[in-house]
Amino acid sequence: MKLFWQRFKKNRLAVAGGVVVLILFIIAIFASLISPYDPNVIDKKHVLEPPSLKHPFGTDELGRDIMSRVIWGSRISISVGFVAVGIATIIGIILGAISGYYGGWLDSVIMRFVDIMLSIPTFFLILAVIAFLGPSILNIMIIIGLTSWMGVARLVRAEFLTLKEREFVIAARGLGAKDIRIIFGHIMPNSLSPVIVSAILGVASAILVESALSFLGIGVQPPTPSWGNILTSGKDNIEIAWWLSVFPGLSILITVLTYNLVGEGVRDAIDPRLKV
């Protein structure tokens, strides 16, 4: 960990991204304290007001404070991102470990299934499933997770194919260790580095997918604030209320960019080729 931190802190962009990610976490956790207004309170006297001291991000077509809705929207976006990536990571680790460790026909079956999933346009698959099940935060989390595990499975499989023939694994087999102990006790801890990087980058992708679904009206449903459905309101009033598009759009841009910067920094810090 000390060596990792020494390498990570040399990447100033990654450190800056980590600081922004931490700030976003604090905003999401303490949204009820930070938010200046209730995000769902309608105020017909202040409809489509531009940014001001009273409403720093302006108001929407119902007089709701955009700053408050962006703050509460961060909680939705980050929650969807982490839960979806958690589901995808668990599925990918399990299938990738089984495929890489046992090999043979089991490996062929799992990898062909991965190929089939990768051949299907993921976003359109998500659209079809949500149209069938109905839009809700829980459905979005589960569907994004169930359609984004293939990359993790391939990464874990590749690591297992390399590690299962190492001396420490052969020694564990010789001592009579069972497969499940070898998989989760010996090989898995040594194969998680690329998975961690993939998970960090996956959060950014999941946030983008959730925002796109909400923008199309089949994601998080109003009046629950989400960066995507705030952008929908901005699209309808783009000619007279630029702030409805700019502030949630910047929120998505900054969040996705910072997670990508952190992911790149973590990847560089744990890359074995850099350890000379």
Side-chain angles (χ1 to χ4, degrees):
M1 290 299 296
K2 184 178 179 180
L3 179 60
F4 167 80
W5 174 244
Q6 288 175 348
R7 293 183 181 279
F8 183 80
K9 69 181 181 181
K10 291 180 181 179
N11 190 331
R12 295 184 179 181
L13 286 176
V15 173
V19 172
V20 176
V21 167
L22 180 61
I23 292 172
L24 290 171
F25 262 109
I26 294 173
I27 291 173
I29 293 171
F30 298 102
S32 58
L33 300 177
I34 298 173
S35 175
Y37 301 94
D38 187 320
N40 296 321
V41 168
I42 296 173
D43 185 359
K44 290 294 186 180
K45 295 181 180 179
H46 300 91
V47 172
L48 293 177
E49 284 193 354
S52 62
L53 291 177
K54 186 176 182 180
H55 299 285
F57 289 4
T59 63
D60 64 8
E61 71 279 5
L62 297 177
R64 297 173 296 190
D65 181 65
I66 296 300
M67 184 176 184
S68 301
R69 292 182 65 77
V70 168
I71 290 172
W72 279 92
S74 68
R75 177 176 289 186
I76 297 295
S77 297
I78 292 174
S79 298
V80 170
F82 273 87
V83 173
V85 168
I87 294 171
T89 301
I90 291 172
I91 296 173
I93 286 176
I94 293 172
L95 292 180
I98 293 172
S99 178
Y101 184 78
Y102 290 105
W105 67 269
L106 195 56
D107 178 36
S108 297
V109 170
I110 293 175
M111 286 300 101
R112 296 301 74 75
F113 181 58
V114 169
D115 292 338
I116 292 171
M117 290 294 295
L118 288 173
S119 69
I120 301 173
T122 304
F123 191 75
F124 293 105
L125 177 61
I126 294 172
L127 290 177
V129 175
I130 289 180
F132 179 74
L133 296 178
S136 73
I137 297 175
L138 181 61
N139 286 346
I140 291 170
M141 291 176 177
I142 294 173
I143 293 166
I144 294 175
L146 292 177
T147 55
S148 55
W149 54 267
M150 295 79 74
V152 177
R154 282 187 160 184
L155 285 173
V156 174
R157 174 182 177 270
E159 292 293 318
F160 266 69
L161 288 174
T162 302
L163 294 171
K164 71 178 183 178
E165 302 300 333
R166 295 285 180 88
E167 289 80 1
F168 67 92
V169 177
I170 296 172
R173 287 199 194 99
L175 292 172
K178 296 182 179 180
D179 287 348
I180 192 168
R181 179 176 177 82
I182 294 173
I183 290 172
F184 292 103
H186 296 277
I187 303 179
M188 187 66 72
N190 291 284
S191 63
L192 288 180
S193 295
V195 175
I196 293 171
V197 176
S198 177
I200 295 173
L201 297 174
V203 172
S205 298
I207 290 173
L208 273 178
V209 172
E210 181 276 323
S211 298
L213 292 172
S214 297
F215 177 77
L216 294 173
I218 56 175
V220 178
Q221 297 298 295
T224 304
S226 166
W227 292 338
N229 60 34
I230 298 173
L231 278 174
T232 301
S233 177
K235 172 182 68 68
D236 296 335
N237 299 279
I238 188 65
E239 295 181 355
I240 58 174
W242 56 266
W243 55 89
L244 290 177
S245 300
V246 169
F247 293 113
L250 283 175
S251 300
I252 296 171
L253 171 64
I254 292 170
T255 302
V256 172
L257 178 61
T258 52
Y259 273 102
N260 280 314
L261 290 175
V262 172
E264 296 273 344
V266 171
R267 184 189 62 190
D268 293 342
I270 64 179
D271 190 344
R273 291 171 295 180
L274 298 177
K275 297 179 182 179
V276 294

